Amino acid sequence: MKVSLFITCLGDMFYPNAGKATVELLEKFGCMVDFPESQTCCGQPAFNSGYHSDAQKAAKQTIEAFENSSYVVTPSGSCAAMLHEYSHLLEGEPEWQSEAEALSAKSYELTQFLVDVLQVENTGASFHAKATYHTSCHMSRLLRETRAPQTLLSHVSGLEMVDLPHKHDCCGFGGTFAVKMPDISKEMVDEKVSCVQATEADILIGADPGCLMNIGGRMSREESPVKIMHIAEILNHTEER
């Protein structure tokens, strides 16, 4: 099975290990992974800020980058959700809209692809730690994916998962929201950090680099011992005791 990796801006710049783990996981389960080098930002920052004309340019660039791909897989629920918005974004341009629908049909967030397409629920990972999982807004509310991450994490040997209080609350990132409304964003991430600390978990796991960067940044300033990890790194991890 041929799969194209959509690494995303934050994955490329801040979470390269999540990208490496994504490729290794896909290859482990028989996928041939390529990387179309013309890929850029999915356009979500512009879209969320109301600059739809600029977002349309990014959408068309992404559509062309992956036009020859069989599947597009990304380690970001947020950016995967954005790819599914393209058909609405390009309404009024029939030729592009049909291409946008084709891209949406073959695009998946990593855990979604593992469970729904590859029919993998156990990646063979082992990780001995106590962890909690952050359910990101775009992953759960826009992409409507909540089952796949929990299913995969439940099979990681040695991993003790504890429920995150108020797990459906936003962490306060929201792309440019954190920049435009810093005071409100700070209050929201402080609440999220308090919930994480209440679990007494060693690790906070997430499937969206933006959320992990936001929560991790706040925890770092508070010198929290909780480690931040992308779910791909957990699912690709093996250890001997």
Side-chain angles (χ1 to χ4, degrees):
M1 181 180 293
K2 294 182 178 179
V3 174
S4 295
L5 173 67
F6 179 35
I7 188 61
T8 78
C9 304
L10 295 183
D12 187 32
M13 297 299 295
F14 299 106
Y15 291 91
N17 288 336
K20 292 177 183 176
T22 297
V23 172
E24 289 175 0
L25 276 169
L26 292 171
E27 290 180 341
K28 179 178 182 179
F29 294 104
C31 297
M32 296 175 61
V33 184
D34 66 16
F35 184 83
E37 294 188 2
S38 59
Q39 62 181 281
T40 60
C41 174
C42 65
Q44 186 178 159
F47 179 74
N48 290 346
S49 299
Y51 299 107
H52 286 192
S53 177
D54 290 329
Q56 287 170 345
K57 294 177 184 176
K60 292 175 181 177
Q61 175 71 27
T62 303
I63 289 170
E64 289 182 333
F66 294 105
E67 63 180 345
N68 296 319
S69 301
S70 300
Y71 290 99
V72 180
V73 176
T74 179
S76 167
S78 180
C79 295
M82 185 62 203
L83 300 187
H84 290 268
E85 287 288 335
Y86 283 178
S87 61
H88 303 295
L89 179 64
L90 296 170
E91 282 182 352
E93 299 185 65
E95 181 179 353
W96 281 106
Q97 194 172 17
S98 63
E99 295 296 323
E101 290 170 353
L103 176 61
S104 174
K106 63 184 180 183
S107 297
Y108 296 85
E109 180 275 334
L110 172 63
T111 63
Q112 191 178 53
F113 186 76
L114 288 170
V115 173
D116 295 342
V117 179
L118 298 182
Q119 302 291 302
V120 172
E121 294 191 350
N122 186 346
T123 63
S126 59
F127 201 111
H128 289 80
K130 183 178 181 180
T132 191
Y133 178 78
H134 169 62
T135 306
S136 63
C137 299
H138 284 185
M139 180 107 165
S140 59
R141 295 169 187 162
L142 298 183
L143 199 60
R144 298 181 180 178
E145 183 57 72
T146 57
R147 183 181 66 89
Q150 300 291 354
T151 298
L152 291 162
L153 289 173
S154 70
H155 288 91
V156 176
S157 176
L159 189 66
E160 177 190 356
M161 293 299 300
V162 291
D163 208 27
L164 181 64
H166 306 292
K167 59 186 177 183
H168 295 299
D169 287 357
C170 176
C171 70
F173 181 58
T176 55
F177 173 80
V179 177
K180 292 181 176 179
M181 305 285 183
D183 293 339
I184 298 174
S185 176
K186 176 182 174 299
E187 293 297 321
M188 295 170 74
V189 76
D190 279 346
E191 287 185 4
K192 183 63 67 177
V193 168
S194 295
C195 290
V196 173
Q197 292 173 334
T199 67
E200 299 183 347
D202 306 308
I203 301 170
L204 173 67
I205 302 170
D208 263 309
C211 300
L212 294 180
M213 185 174 68
N214 187 43
I215 302 169
R218 189 60 187 160
M219 285 186 155
S220 176
R221 288 176 176 81
E222 294 188 353
E223 299 183 348
S224 170
V226 179
K227 188 175 181 180
I228 306 295
M229 294 187 72
H230 190 277
I231 191 169
E233 298 174 278
I234 298 292
L235 299 177
N236 192 46
H237 191 274
T238 57
E239 60 187 11
E240 296 181 1
R241 300 197 74 186

